[in-house]
Amino acid sequence: MLTWGFVFLLTIIIHTTDSLSYALRLGGLRARRIGLALTVAGMLLLVSRTSNMAQGPLLGGMVDQAKAAAQVGGTDIRLELYMHGVLLAATVGTILAILLYPTVVRMSARWIVHLEHTGSIPALVRHLMLRSRWKHAGYYIKRPTWSMSYFID
């Protein structure tokens, strides 16, 4: 059961980070620093790809356990339930990314400008941990609206 929760969490991380990497790119475009934004988006995609590497063997182990149990005629491991759970986790991750997308676009434009000034990710993190930096963070929070979607006129 612990493995299943870990796979669920990894699936959410994979889908959220994949989708939010596009927000990071758009934020870099708005800040007119697309090269730096592509670099940071690539680093974010590494998180997603690393999670995917960890997820594959865990899913494979679940399938192997289900096959072994079916051959022995032992306990009923409902593999389809686990696979539906993975699809649910992917949906949750995508919905989470949709809700965070406008906020991440606004914040990433600012983060990229700060990254250019600080020169490194650790220095940026130290810079962002200052209490005075979070005083106006509420300004960057934005809810998604229907007018943001491309397919609605």
Side-chain angles (χ1 to χ4, degrees):
M1 196 59 163
L2 180 65
T3 304
W4 160 239
F6 194 57
V7 168
F8 192 83
L9 182 65
L10 285 177
T11 305
I12 291 173
I13 290 170
I14 290 166
H15 285 269
T16 304
T17 56
D18 274 347
S19 299
L20 289 181
S21 70
Y22 294 108
L24 199 72
R25 292 174 187 173
L26 181 57
L29 185 65
R30 289 185 178 175
R32 300 183 198 274
R33 288 160 179 87
I34 191 67
L36 189 58
L38 289 174
T39 303
V40 176
M43 291 177 5
L44 183 65
L45 285 173
L46 280 175
V47 171
S48 169
R49 305 250 163 83
T50 304
S51 297
N52 213 347
M53 276 181 22
Q55 181 192 36
L58 293 173
L59 278 174
M62 287 179 179
V63 172
D64 290 343
Q65 286 176 355
K67 281 177 60 177
Q71 286 176 348
V72 174
T75 60
D76 181 31
I77 297 176
R78 299 191 37 129
L79 184 61
E80 69 273 0
L81 184 64
Y82 290 135
M83 294 302 127
H84 284 281
V86 170
L87 291 174
L88 175 66
T91 303
V92 168
T94 303
I95 290 172
L96 184 63
I98 289 170
L99 294 174
L100 292 174
Y101 196 88
T103 301
V104 172
V105 168
R106 290 176 117 184
M107 285 186 160
S108 65
R110 197 71 194 132
W111 291 339
I112 289 170
V113 170
H114 284 301
L115 178 60
E116 189 175 47
H117 291 297
T118 58
S120 70
I121 298 287
L124 174 67
V125 171
R126 280 193 306 270
H127 180 73
L128 291 176
M129 289 299 133
L130 297 174
R131 186 178 204 135
S132 62
R133 294 287 166 203
W134 289 94
K135 187 170 32 174
H136 301 291
Y139 168 77
Y140 295 102
I141 296 173
K142 183 168 174 55
R143 292 186 324 182
T145 62
W146 284 111
S147 63
M148 291 178 182
S149 63
Y150 291 110
F151 54 88
I152 295 179
D153 290 333

